[in-house]
Amino acid sequence: MPEYLVRLAQAHESFRKAELRALANLAGVALEFVRYEEDSPYCLVRLPSDSAAREVITRSILSQGIYELWGQGSTYDALHQSIRDTSASKWPQYSSGSFRFTVEGFRGGHSTADQRAIIDSFSYLGFKGPPRMRDPDASFRVFEDYDLDVSEAKYMYFGRLVAESKRNDAKKTYDLKKRHYISTTSMDAELALLTANIAHAAPGKLFYDPFMGTGGFPVACAHFGAVVCGSDIDGRAIRGTGGSARRGQTGKKDVVGNFKQYGMEAQYLGGFVSDLTNTPLRILPRDNDYTTGYLDGIVCDPPYGIREGLKVLGTRDGLGDSRKKTHEDKYKEPGYIPPKKPYSFTALLDDILAFAVATLVEDARLSMWMPTANDEDIELIIPSHPCLELESVCVQAFNKWSRRLLTYRRLRESEIPEGSLEAVKREYEKGKRASELNDFRRKYFEGFREFETMKKEFIRMKTDDGTNGKLSDPSTEGKTEDIHLE
């Protein structure tokens, strides 16, 4: 298979390979990674043809474009020799058309005069057509990869542009700053689109978000052609409460309005109030047939229970029969607000997996976000299910905390090991309070208490020893470093 250079965006590095694999899988083409480094935007892959390369890259969010690789080398002499050895047979088909040459450097570069000299050094290609910077028949680019603070490029590539992605157009269109209805927890548009890509959202597919909020994930899936629906335990988020979280927005704003804003109302089936432990969606009997699901994908960002404890519909234990009877009598009344009870976060994650097994078709994807910490002592175990295969784990790192995008594939019946579907006993957090039922929430706030203690110690040092909030580090040989506490 021919080799191609993918010009990646230098953002969300742990998501880039997962997205390319997902897009190749969705397109039904074989993709092989030849060279990939997280600190470089240049990735070499093998693909069957230009049409396959175009199909993979066009809808990518973390790629800028893909180029047919004509040569590579650690010096320009080596690069030119590589081009002569590997691509000489391709030169004649571009000899008479218009063309464009550009030079790109990562972590380094050249002056305009030097770039012109580099371009002139490719005159042996024999292109006779007119140079044209806009809409040429063929576009060629030299890629230079530098080490930091080094003036000479360590490696170079030369390629012909096959296709550009629509990354910039998608980011600009769905930018939350321009969206009419958002909340304080709306997922960044780029990450929502990434999630939809990795989950294989596409025309003719039905996608569902059980924690839809203001509809960020359904909007992203609809962008790629899927038909979508969603639910949330808080109906106010779906219906809107008279305005957006953005200042200056007035009037009725709701999830339906977001789909109207992007002209995708026809792809939105609607939203309903529910939680996953009491869903009205059809759950098939748990018998020997595990192949009769109806959803083509589930994408979600479950509540982490940090700001307030995680809750589901239901009454707390110990309320008594009279209180429960009251709810049973009033649940049909207009304006009725159902009661909620605290719930285990770990149990919720397992509930999501069980729901996915019961509703996804074979080979469909579940992509869900899950919080974690950069401290090994606070690490949450990745949930698993015998009917689901963990395909990728992508990490968005913050300071002390991170969150992971976990993507599972619904196994086919023939892939499920015999006897693995027997009931598995699981142990969940015990208690009635939010922190008792959510180990991550408890550790999260314990970590901040440690931080507060450290901050008080810094303040004490500032007043007691006159360092003005600066600490001496032996590794800096007596230099001082400002400690910023936010």
Side-chain angles (χ1 to χ4, degrees), residues 279-327:
T279 180
L281 291 181
R282 180 167 58 96
I283 303 296
L284 301 172
R286 294 184 62 87
D287 52 22
N288 293 329
D289 186 1
Y290 279 78
T291 64
T292 52
Y294 55 92
L295 294 176
D296 297 295
I298 299 173
V299 289
C300 61
D301 184 18
Y304 306 153
I306 300 299
R307 297 187 178 188
E308 59 182 28
L310 181 65
K311 295 180 180 179
V312 296
L313 296 177
T315 56
R316 295 174 181 265
D317 295 336
L319 284 180
D321 293 338
S322 60
R323 293 280 298 277
K324 292 181 180 179
K325 185 65 176 177
T326 301
H327 291 297

Coordinates of all heavy atoms in Angstrom, one line a residue, residues 279-327:
T279 N -35.2 4.0 32.8 CA -35.4 4.5 31.4 C -36.7 3.8 30.8 O -37.0 2.7 31.0 CB -34.2 4.1 30.5 OG1 -34.5 4.5 29.2 CG2 -33.9 2.6 30.5
P280 N -37.4 4.6 30.0 CA -38.6 4.1 29.4 C -38.2 3.4 28.0 O -39.1 2.8 27.4 CB -39.5 5.3 29.1 CG -38.5 6.4 29.0 CD -37.3 6.1 29.9
L281 N -37.0 3.5 27.6 CA -36.6 2.8 26.4 C -36.7 1.3 26.5 O -36.5 0.7 27.6 CB -35.2 3.2 26.0 CG -34.9 4.7 25.6 CD1 -33.5 4.9 25.3 CD2 -35.8 5.1 24.4
R282 N -37.0 0.7 25.4 CA -37.2 -0.7 25.4 C -35.9 -1.5 25.7 O -34.9 -1.3 25.0 CB -37.7 -1.1 24.0 CG -38.0 -2.6 23.8 CD -38.8 -2.9 22.5 NE -38.1 -2.4 21.4 CZ -37.3 -3.1 20.6 NH1 -37.2 -4.4 20.9 NH2 -36.7 -2.6 19.5
I283 N -36.0 -2.3 26.7 CA -34.9 -3.1 27.1 C -35.3 -4.6 26.8 O -36.2 -5.1 27.3 CB -34.5 -3.0 28.6 CG1 -34.2 -1.5 28.9 CG2 -33.3 -3.9 28.9 CD1 -33.0 -1.0 28.2
L284 N -34.5 -5.2 26.0 CA -34.8 -6.6 25.5 C -34.6 -7.6 26.6 O -33.7 -7.4 27.5 CB -34.1 -6.9 24.3 CG -34.3 -6.0 23.1 CD1 -33.3 -6.3 22.0 CD2 -35.7 -6.1 22.6
P285 N -35.3 -8.7 26.6 CA -35.1 -9.7 27.7 C -33.7 -10.3 27.7 O -33.1 -10.4 26.6 CB -36.1 -10.8 27.3 CG -37.1 -10.1 26.4 CD -36.4 -9.0 25.7
R286 N -33.2 -10.5 28.8 CA -31.8 -11.1 28.9 C -31.9 -12.6 28.8 O -31.8 -13.3 29.7 CB -31.2 -10.7 30.2 CG -30.9 -9.2 30.4 CD -30.2 -8.8 31.7 NE -28.9 -9.5 31.7 CZ -27.8 -8.9 31.2 NH1 -27.9 -7.7 30.6 NH2 -26.7 -9.5 31.3
D287 N -32.0 -13.0 27.5 CA -32.0 -14.5 27.2 C -30.7 -14.8 26.5 O -29.7 -14.1 26.5 CB -33.3 -14.9 26.5 CG -33.5 -14.0 25.2 OD1 -32.5 -13.4 24.8 OD2 -34.6 -13.9 24.7
N288 N -30.8 -15.8 25.7 CA -29.6 -16.2 25.0 C -29.3 -15.4 23.7 O -28.3 -15.6 23.1 CB -29.6 -17.7 24.6 CG -29.6 -18.6 25.8 OD1 -29.0 -18.3 26.8 ND2 -30.3 -19.8 25.8
D289 N -30.3 -14.6 23.3 CA -30.1 -13.8 22.1 C -29.6 -12.4 22.5 O -30.4 -11.6 23.0 CB -31.4 -13.7 21.3 CG -31.2 -13.0 20.0 OD1 -30.1 -12.6 19.7 OD2 -32.2 -12.9 19.3
Y290 N -28.3 -12.1 22.2 CA -27.8 -10.8 22.6 C -27.5 -10.0 21.3 O -26.6 -9.2 21.2 CB -26.5 -11.0 23.4 CG -26.8 -11.2 24.8 CD1 -27.2 -12.5 25.3 CD2 -26.6 -10.2 25.8 CE1 -27.4 -12.7 26.6 CE2 -26.9 -10.4 27.1 CZ -27.3 -11.7 27.5 OH -27.6 -11.9 28.9
T291 N -28.2 -10.2 20.2 CA -27.9 -9.6 19.0 C -29.0 -8.7 18.4 O -29.0 -8.4 17.3 CB -27.6 -10.7 17.9 OG1 -28.7 -11.5 17.7 CG2 -26.4 -11.5 18.4
T292 N -30.0 -8.4 19.3 CA -31.2 -7.8 18.8 C -31.4 -6.3 19.3 O -32.5 -5.9 19.6 CB -32.5 -8.6 19.1 OG1 -32.4 -8.8 20.5 CG2 -32.5 -9.9 18.4
G293 N -30.3 -5.6 19.4 CA -30.3 -4.2 19.8 C -30.9 -3.4 18.7 O -31.1 -3.8 17.6
Y294 N -31.1 -2.1 19.0 CA -31.6 -1.2 18.0 C -30.9 0.2 17.9 O -31.1 0.9 17.0 CB -33.1 -0.9 18.3 CG -33.4 -0.4 19.6 CD1 -33.4 1.0 19.9 CD2 -33.6 -1.3 20.7 CE1 -33.7 1.4 21.2 CE2 -33.9 -0.8 22.0 CZ -33.9 0.6 22.2 OH -34.2 1.0 23.5
L295 N -30.0 0.4 18.8 CA -29.2 1.7 18.8 C -27.9 1.4 18.0 O -27.2 0.4 18.2 CB -28.9 2.2 20.2 CG -30.1 2.7 21.0 CD1 -29.6 3.1 22.4 CD2 -30.8 3.9 20.3
D296 N -27.5 2.4 17.2 CA -26.2 2.3 16.5 C -25.1 3.0 17.2 O -23.9 2.8 16.8 CB -26.3 2.9 15.1 CG -27.4 2.2 14.2 OD1 -27.1 1.0 13.9 OD2 -28.4 2.8 13.9
G297 N -25.4 3.7 18.3 CA -24.3 4.3 19.0 C -24.9 5.0 20.2 O -26.0 5.5 20.2
I298 N -24.1 5.1 21.3 CA -24.4 5.8 22.5 C -23.2 6.7 22.8 O -22.1 6.2 22.9 CB -24.7 4.9 23.7 CG1 -25.9 4.0 23.4 CG2 -24.9 5.7 25.0 CD1 -26.1 2.9 24.5
V299 N -23.4 8.0 23.0 CA -22.4 8.9 23.4 C -22.9 9.7 24.6 O -24.0 10.1 24.7 CB -22.1 9.9 22.2 CG1 -21.3 9.2 21.1 CG2 -23.3 10.6 21.7
C300 N -22.0 9.9 25.6 CA -22.5 10.5 26.8 C -21.3 11.0 27.7 O -20.2 10.5 27.6 CB -23.4 9.6 27.6 SG -22.6 8.1 28.2
D301 N -21.6 12.0 28.5 CA -20.7 12.5 29.5 C -21.5 12.4 30.8 O -22.2 13.3 31.2 CB -20.3 13.9 29.2 CG -19.3 14.5 30.2 OD1 -18.7 13.7 30.9 OD2 -19.2 15.7 30.3
P302 N -21.4 11.3 31.5 CA -22.2 11.1 32.7 C -21.9 12.1 33.8 O -20.8 12.6 33.9 CB -21.8 9.7 33.2 CG -21.2 9.0 32.0 CD -20.6 10.1 31.3
P303 N -22.9 12.4 34.7 CA -22.6 13.4 35.8 C -21.6 12.7 36.7 O -21.7 11.5 37.1 CB -23.9 13.6 36.4 CG -24.7 12.3 36.1 CD -24.3 12.0 34.7
Y304 N -20.6 13.5 37.2 CA -19.6 13.0 38.0 C -19.9 13.1 39.5 O -19.3 12.5 40.4 CB -18.2 13.7 37.8 CG -17.8 13.7 36.4 CD1 -17.0 14.8 35.9 CD2 -18.1 12.7 35.5 CE1 -16.5 14.8 34.6 CE2 -17.7 12.7 34.2 CZ -16.9 13.8 33.7 OH -16.5 13.8 32.4
G305 N -21.0 13.9 39.8 CA -21.4 14.0 41.2 C -20.4 14.9 42.0 O -20.3 14.7 43.2
I306 N -19.7 15.9 41.4 CA -18.8 16.7 42.1 C -19.5 17.9 42.7 O -19.4 18.2 43.9 CB -17.6 17.1 41.2 CG1 -16.9 15.9 40.7 CG2 -16.7 18.1 41.9 CD1 -16.3 15.1 41.7
R307 N -20.2 18.7 41.9 CA -20.8 19.9 42.4 C -21.9 19.6 43.4 O -22.1 20.2 44.4 CB -21.4 20.7 41.2 CG -20.3 21.2 40.2 CD -20.9 22.1 39.2 NE -19.9 22.6 38.3 CZ -20.1 23.6 37.4 NH1 -21.4 24.1 37.3 NH2 -19.2 24.0 36.6
E308 N -22.6 18.5 43.1 CA -23.6 18.0 44.0 C -23.7 16.5 43.8 O -23.2 16.0 42.8 CB -25.0 18.6 43.8 CG -25.6 18.3 42.4 CD -26.9 19.0 42.2 OE1 -27.2 20.0 42.8 OE2 -27.7 18.5 41.4
G309 N -24.1 15.8 44.8 CA -24.1 14.4 44.8 C -24.9 13.8 43.6 O -25.9 14.4 43.1
L310 N -24.4 12.7 43.1 CA -25.1 12.0 42.0 C -26.4 11.5 42.5 O -26.5 10.9 43.5 CB -24.2 10.8 41.5 CG -24.7 10.0 40.3 CD1 -24.8 10.9 39.1 CD2 -23.8 8.8 40.1
K311 N -27.5 11.7 41.6 CA -28.8 11.2 42.0 C -29.5 10.6 40.9 O -29.2 10.8 39.7 CB -29.6 12.5 42.5 CG -29.1 13.1 43.8 CD -30.0 14.3 44.2 CE -29.4 15.0 45.4 NZ -30.2 16.1 45.8
V312 N -30.4 9.7 41.3 CA -31.3 9.0 40.3 C -32.8 9.2 40.8 O -33.0 9.5 42.0 CB -31.0 7.6 40.1 CG1 -29.6 7.4 39.5 CG2 -31.1 6.8 41.4
L313 N -33.7 8.8 40.0 CA -35.1 8.9 40.4 C -35.4 7.8 41.4 O -34.9 6.7 41.3 CB -36.0 8.7 39.2 CG -36.0 9.8 38.1 CD1 -36.9 9.5 36.9 CD2 -36.3 11.2 38.7
G314 N -36.2 8.1 42.4 CA -36.5 7.2 43.4 C -36.6 7.8 44.8 O -36.2 9.0 45.0
T315 N -37.1 7.1 45.8 CA -37.2 7.6 47.1 C -36.1 7.0 48.0 O -35.7 5.9 47.8 CB -38.6 7.2 47.7 OG1 -38.7 5.8 47.6 CG2 -39.7 7.9 47.0
R316 N -35.7 7.8 48.9 CA -34.7 7.4 49.9 C -35.2 6.2 50.7 O -36.4 6.2 51.0 CB -34.2 8.5 50.8 CG -33.5 9.7 50.0 CD -33.3 10.8 51.0 NE -32.7 12.0 50.3 CZ -31.3 12.2 50.3 NH1 -30.5 11.3 51.0 NH2 -30.8 13.2 49.7
D317 N -34.3 5.4 51.2 CA -34.7 4.4 52.1 C -35.1 5.0 53.4 O -34.6 6.0 53.9 CB -33.5 3.4 52.4 CG -33.1 2.6 51.1 OD1 -34.0 2.5 50.2 OD2 -31.9 2.2 51.0
G318 N -36.2 4.4 54.0 CA -36.6 4.8 55.3 C -37.6 5.9 55.3 O -38.0 6.5 56.3
L319 N -38.2 6.2 54.1 CA -39.2 7.3 54.1 C -40.6 6.8 54.6 O -41.4 7.6 55.0 CB -39.4 7.7 52.6 CG -38.3 8.7 52.0 CD1 -38.7 9.0 50.6 CD2 -38.2 9.9 52.9
G320 N -40.8 5.5 54.5 CA -42.0 5.0 55.0 C -43.1 4.8 53.9 O -43.0 5.5 52.9
D321 N -44.0 3.9 54.1 CA -45.0 3.6 53.1 C -45.9 4.8 52.7 O -46.3 5.0 51.6 CB -45.9 2.5 53.5 CG -45.1 1.1 53.6 OD1 -44.0 1.1 52.9 OD2 -45.5 0.2 54.3
S322 N -46.2 5.7 53.7 CA -47.1 6.8 53.5 C -46.5 7.8 52.5 O -47.1 8.3 51.6 CB -47.4 7.5 54.8 OG -46.2 8.0 55.4
R323 N -45.1 8.1 52.7 CA -44.5 9.0 51.8 C -44.4 8.5 50.4 O -44.6 9.2 49.4 CB -43.1 9.3 52.2 CG -43.0 10.1 53.6 CD -43.2 11.6 53.3 NE -42.2 12.1 52.4 CZ -41.0 12.6 52.9 NH1 -40.7 12.5 54.2 NH2 -40.1 13.1 52.0
K324 N -44.1 7.2 50.2 CA -44.1 6.5 48.9 C -45.5 6.6 48.2 O -45.6 6.8 47.0 CB -43.6 5.1 49.0 CG -42.1 5.0 49.4 CD -41.7 3.6 49.5 CE -40.2 3.5 50.0 NZ -39.7 2.1 50.1
K325 N -46.5 6.3 49.1 CA -47.9 6.3 48.5 C -48.2 7.7 48.0 O -48.9 7.8 47.0 CB -48.8 5.9 49.7 CG -50.3 5.8 49.2 CD -50.5 4.6 48.2 CE -51.9 4.4 47.9 NZ -52.1 3.4 46.8
T326 N -47.8 8.8 48.6 CA -48.0 10.1 48.2 C -47.5 10.3 46.8 O -48.2 10.9 45.9 CB -47.4 11.1 49.2 OG1 -47.9 10.9 50.5 CG2 -47.7 12.6 48.7
H327 N -46.3 9.9 46.5 CA -45.7 10.0 45.2 C -46.5 9.2 44.2 O -46.7 9.7 43.0 CB -44.3 9.6 45.2 CG -43.4 10.6 46.0 ND1 -43.2 11.9 45.6 CD2 -42.6 10.4 47.1 CE1 -42.4 12.5 46.4 NE2 -42.0 11.6 47.3

